[in-house]
mmCIF file with all atom_site columns, all heavy atoms in Angstrom:
data_model
loop_
_atom_site.group_PDB
_atom_site.id
_atom_site.type_symbol
_atom_site.label_atom_id
_atom_site.label_alt_id
_atom_site.label_comp_id
_atom_site.label_asym_id
_atom_site.label_entity_id
_atom_site.label_seq_id
_atom_site.pdbx_PDB_ins_code
_atom_site.Cartn_x
_atom_site.Cartn_y
_atom_site.Cartn_z
_atom_site.occupancy
_atom_site.B_iso_or_equiv
_atom_site.pdbx_formal_charge
_atom_site.auth_seq_id
_atom_site.auth_comp_id
_atom_site.auth_asym_id
_atom_site.auth_atom_id
_atom_site.pdbx_PDB_model_num
ATOM 1  N N   . VAL A 1 93  ? -8.449  -2.961 -4.699 1.00 0.00 ? 93  VAL A N   1
ATOM 2  C CA  . VAL A 1 93  ? -8.271  -1.868 -3.738 1.00 0.00 ? 93  VAL A CA  1
ATOM 3  C C   . VAL A 1 93  ? -7.959  -0.594 -4.522 1.00 0.00 ? 93  VAL A C   1
ATOM 4  O O   . VAL A 1 93  ? -7.037  -0.582 -5.340 1.00 0.00 ? 93  VAL A O   1
ATOM 5  C CB  . VAL A 1 93  ? -7.090  -2.188 -2.779 1.00 0.00 ? 93  VAL A CB  1
ATOM 6  C CG1 . VAL A 1 93  ? -6.882  -1.047 -1.792 1.00 0.00 ? 93  VAL A CG1 1
ATOM 7  C CG2 . VAL A 1 93  ? -7.322  -3.502 -2.042 1.00 0.00 ? 93  VAL A CG2 1
ATOM 8  N N   . THR A 1 94  ? -8.737  0.454  -4.286 1.00 0.00 ? 94  THR A N   1
ATOM 9  C CA  . THR A 1 94  ? -8.456  1.749  -4.914 1.00 0.00 ? 94  THR A CA  1
ATOM 10 C C   . THR A 1 94  ? -8.061  2.730  -3.820 1.00 0.00 ? 94  THR A C   1
ATOM 11 O O   . THR A 1 94  ? -8.820  2.945  -2.858 1.00 0.00 ? 94  THR A O   1
ATOM 12 C CB  . THR A 1 94  ? -9.689  2.276  -5.671 1.00 0.00 ? 94  THR A CB  1
ATOM 13 O OG1 . THR A 1 94  ? -10.088 1.273  -6.605 1.00 0.00 ? 94  THR A OG1 1
ATOM 14 C CG2 . THR A 1 94  ? -9.364  3.551  -6.427 1.00 0.00 ? 94  THR A CG2 1
ATOM 15 N N   . ILE A 1 95  ? -6.853  3.276  -3.944 1.00 0.00 ? 95  ILE A N   1
ATOM 16 C CA  . ILE A 1 95  ? -6.328  4.177  -2.905 1.00 0.00 ? 95  ILE A CA  1
ATOM 17 C C   . ILE A 1 95  ? -6.286  5.593  -3.463 1.00 0.00 ? 95  ILE A C   1
ATOM 18 O O   . ILE A 1 95  ? -5.621  5.845  -4.478 1.00 0.00 ? 95  ILE A O   1
ATOM 19 C CB  . ILE A 1 95  ? -4.904  3.745  -2.480 1.00 0.00 ? 95  ILE A CB  1
ATOM 20 C CG1 . ILE A 1 95  ? -4.902  2.287  -2.005 1.00 0.00 ? 95  ILE A CG1 1
ATOM 21 C CG2 . ILE A 1 95  ? -4.356  4.683  -1.401 1.00 0.00 ? 95  ILE A CG2 1
ATOM 22 C CD1 . ILE A 1 95  ? -3.500  1.732  -1.709 1.00 0.00 ? 95  ILE A CD1 1
ATOM 23 N N   . ALA A 1 96  ? -7.008  6.497  -2.833 1.00 0.00 ? 96  ALA A N   1
ATOM 24 C CA  . ALA A 1 96  ? -6.956  7.920  -3.206 1.00 0.00 ? 96  ALA A CA  1
ATOM 25 C C   . ALA A 1 96  ? -6.049  8.606  -2.201 1.00 0.00 ? 96  ALA A C   1
ATOM 26 O O   . ALA A 1 96  ? -6.418  8.780  -1.026 1.00 0.00 ? 96  ALA A O   1
ATOM 27 C CB  . ALA A 1 96  ? -8.354  8.521  -3.188 1.00 0.00 ? 96  ALA A CB  1
ATOM 28 N N   . LYS A 1 97  ? -4.833  8.990  -2.653 1.00 0.00 ? 97  LYS A N   1
ATOM 29 C CA  . LYS A 1 97  ? -3.824  9.473  -1.720 1.00 0.00 ? 97  LYS A CA  1
ATOM 30 C C   . LYS A 1 97  ? -3.827  10.985 -1.568 1.00 0.00 ? 97  LYS A C   1
ATOM 31 O O   . LYS A 1 97  ? -3.831  11.709 -2.548 1.00 0.00 ? 97  LYS A O   1
ATOM 32 C CB  . LYS A 1 97  ? -2.418  9.028  -2.183 1.00 0.00 ? 97  LYS A CB  1
ATOM 33 C CG  . LYS A 1 97  ? -2.176  7.550  -1.994 1.00 0.00 ? 97  LYS A CG  1
ATOM 34 C CD  . LYS A 1 97  ? -0.724  7.211  -1.688 1.00 0.00 ? 97  LYS A CD  1
ATOM 35 C CE  . LYS A 1 97  ? -0.244  7.710  -0.364 1.00 0.00 ? 97  LYS A CE  1
ATOM 36 N NZ  . LYS A 1 97  ? -0.884  7.072  0.802  1.00 0.00 ? 97  LYS A NZ  1
ATOM 37 N N   . ARG A 1 98  ? -3.807  11.402 -0.312 1.00 0.00 ? 98  ARG A N   1
ATOM 38 C CA  . ARG A 1 98  ? -3.478  12.798 -0.008 1.00 0.00 ? 98  ARG A CA  1
ATOM 39 C C   . ARG A 1 98  ? -2.239  12.843 0.885  1.00 0.00 ? 98  ARG A C   1
ATOM 40 O O   . ARG A 1 98  ? -1.563  13.857 0.959  1.00 0.00 ? 98  ARG A O   1
ATOM 41 C CB  . ARG A 1 98  ? -4.660  13.499 0.691  1.00 0.00 ? 98  ARG A CB  1
ATOM 42 C CG  . ARG A 1 98  ? -5.813  13.779 -0.288 1.00 0.00 ? 98  ARG A CG  1
ATOM 43 C CD  . ARG A 1 98  ? -6.899  14.605 0.369  1.00 0.00 ? 98  ARG A CD  1
ATOM 44 N NE  . ARG A 1 98  ? -6.379  15.831 0.925  1.00 0.00 ? 98  ARG A NE  1
ATOM 45 C CZ  . ARG A 1 98  ? -6.765  16.349 2.102  1.00 0.00 ? 98  ARG A CZ  1
ATOM 46 N NH1 . ARG A 1 98  ? -7.666  15.726 2.840  1.00 0.00 ? 98  ARG A NH1 1
ATOM 47 N NH2 . ARG A 1 98  ? -6.265  17.476 2.531  1.00 0.00 ? 98  ARG A NH2 1
ATOM 48 N N   . ILE A 1 99  ? -1.964  11.727 1.579  1.00 0.00 ? 99  ILE A N   1
ATOM 49 C CA  . ILE A 1 99  ? -0.774  11.658 2.436  1.00 0.00 ? 99  ILE A CA  1
ATOM 50 C C   . ILE A 1 99  ? 0.422   11.380 1.523  1.00 0.00 ? 99  ILE A C   1
ATOM 51 O O   . ILE A 1 99  ? 0.430   10.368 0.814  1.00 0.00 ? 99  ILE A O   1
ATOM 52 C CB  . ILE A 1 99  ? -0.911  10.521 3.476  1.00 0.00 ? 99  ILE A CB  1
ATOM 53 C CG1 . ILE A 1 99  ? -2.229  10.647 4.264  1.00 0.00 ? 99  ILE A CG1 1
ATOM 54 C CG2 . ILE A 1 99  ? 0.291   10.498 4.402  1.00 0.00 ? 99  ILE A CG2 1
ATOM 55 C CD1 . ILE A 1 99  ? -2.526  9.452  5.184  1.00 0.00 ? 99  ILE A CD1 1
ATOM 56 N N   . PRO A 1 100 ? 1.433   12.257 1.511  1.00 0.00 ? 100 PRO A N   1
ATOM 57 C CA  . PRO A 1 100 ? 2.578   12.035 0.622  1.00 0.00 ? 100 PRO A CA  1
ATOM 58 C C   . PRO A 1 100 ? 3.299   10.721 0.937  1.00 0.00 ? 100 PRO A C   1
ATOM 59 O O   . PRO A 1 100 ? 3.284   10.253 2.082  1.00 0.00 ? 100 PRO A O   1
ATOM 60 C CB  . PRO A 1 100 ? 3.488   13.235 0.885  1.00 0.00 ? 100 PRO A CB  1
ATOM 61 C CG  . PRO A 1 100 ? 2.660   14.235 1.584  1.00 0.00 ? 100 PRO A CG  1
ATOM 62 C CD  . PRO A 1 100 ? 1.564   13.499 2.287  1.00 0.00 ? 100 PRO A CD  1
ATOM 63 N N   . VAL A 1 101 ? 3.910   10.157 -0.095 1.00 0.00 ? 101 VAL A N   1
ATOM 64 C CA  . VAL A 1 101 ? 4.588   8.855  0.012  1.00 0.00 ? 101 VAL A CA  1
ATOM 65 C C   . VAL A 1 101 ? 6.005   9.051  0.576  1.00 0.00 ? 101 VAL A C   1
ATOM 66 O O   . VAL A 1 101 ? 6.688   10.017 0.221  1.00 0.00 ? 101 VAL A O   1
ATOM 67 C CB  . VAL A 1 101 ? 4.673   8.220  -1.409 1.00 0.00 ? 101 VAL A CB  1
ATOM 68 C CG1 . VAL A 1 101 ? 5.408   6.886  -1.362 1.00 0.00 ? 101 VAL A CG1 1
ATOM 69 C CG2 . VAL A 1 101 ? 3.271   8.048  -1.982 1.00 0.00 ? 101 VAL A CG2 1
ATOM 70 N N   . ALA A 1 102 ? 6.425   8.120  1.446  1.00 0.00 ? 102 ALA A N   1
ATOM 71 C CA  . ALA A 1 102 ? 7.784   8.141  2.029  1.00 0.00 ? 102 ALA A CA  1
ATOM 72 C C   . ALA A 1 102 ? 8.109   9.513  2.618  1.00 0.00 ? 102 ALA A C   1
ATOM 73 O O   . ALA A 1 102 ? 9.174   10.085 2.374  1.00 0.00 ? 102 ALA A O   1
ATOM 74 C CB  . ALA A 1 102 ? 8.839   7.728  0.997  1.00 0.00 ? 102 ALA A CB  1
ATOM 75 N N   . ALA A 1 103 ? 7.173   10.036 3.397  1.00 0.00 ? 103 ALA A N   1
ATOM 76 C CA  . ALA A 1 103 ? 7.296   11.392 3.941  1.00 0.00 ? 103 ALA A CA  1
ATOM 77 C C   . ALA A 1 103 ? 7.390   11.402 5.456  1.00 0.00 ? 103 ALA A C   1
ATOM 78 O O   . ALA A 1 103 ? 7.459   12.467 6.068  1.00 0.00 ? 103 ALA A O   1
ATOM 79 C CB  . ALA A 1 103 ? 6.106   12.232 3.490  1.00 0.00 ? 103 ALA A CB  1
ATOM 80 N N   . GLY A 1 104 ? 7.361   10.231 6.097  1.00 0.00 ? 104 GLY A N   1
ATOM 81 C CA  . GLY A 1 104 ? 7.430   10.169 7.558  1.00 0.00 ? 104 GLY A CA  1
ATOM 82 C C   . GLY A 1 104 ? 6.074   10.279 8.220  1.00 0.00 ? 104 GLY A C   1
ATOM 83 O O   . GLY A 1 104 ? 5.967   10.426 9.435  1.00 0.00 ? 104 GLY A O   1
#
Side-chain angles (χ1 to χ4, degrees):
V93 179
T94 305
I95 304 174
K97 288 212 67 67
R98 287 186 55 220
I99 307 172
V101 178

